[in-house]
Amino acid sequence: RCATDFPGHSVALKVLGVLILWFGWYGFNTGSVYYITNKNQALLAQNAAVNTTLAAASGTISALLAKAWLAERETGEAIFSLTDALMGCLSGLVSITGGCAYMESWASIIVGFISGLLYLAGSRLMVRIGIDDAVDAVSVCV
């Protein structure tokens, strides 16, 4: 049997869900900084918020553009997938969480960009080997 990728039912609800998660990630990443005993907690929280934004945005862009490039290679027409862009956003959020307070901004862009590409690779691999992951949670958290 061959596994096939199938589209979701409501892209609008996916967008809403990702925006809710993204908003919550700010509370998680910046709130976690206050457990660090340091005089510069406010600066670390600011850095965490900026890096969270940059990683999510670059994960979104890399997943969107890489998927369009792959679709153009496979079908001859570039198709921009909002669903893959949203999952790239979540992948960027997951990947930046550990070091968001201490990373430089340029590094968070690179981390997010790479995580978007890793999401696409993981998602395609899961479909290819026939593992059912309805919400791409494994691929996002790679």
Side-chain angles (χ1 to χ4, degrees), residues 71-95:
E72 194 266 331
R73 289 288 192 189
E74 293 170 353
T75 65
E77 182 178 349
I79 300 169
F80 293 97
S81 171
L82 180 59
T83 299
D84 287 322
L86 293 171
M87 294 299 121
C89 175
L90 291 178
S91 179
L93 289 169
V94 168
S95 65

Side-chain angles (χ1 to χ4, degrees), residues 4-65:
T4 57
D5 195 14
F6 62 92
H9 300 288
S10 176
V11 177
L13 289 177
K14 282 184 180 182
V15 170
L16 179 63
V18 169
L19 287 176
I20 291 170
L21 283 170
W22 195 346
F23 183 74
W25 233 280
Y26 286 117
F28 180 75
N29 282 352
T30 59
S32 297
V33 168
Y34 288 109
Y35 286 105
I36 300 171
T37 55
N38 192 339
K39 293 179 183 180
N40 298 326
Q41 286 178 338
L43 293 175
L44 291 175
Q46 291 171 359
N47 197 35
V50 169
N51 287 341
T52 299
T53 303
L54 291 174
S58 64
T60 302
I61 292 169
S62 70
L64 179 70
L65 295 179

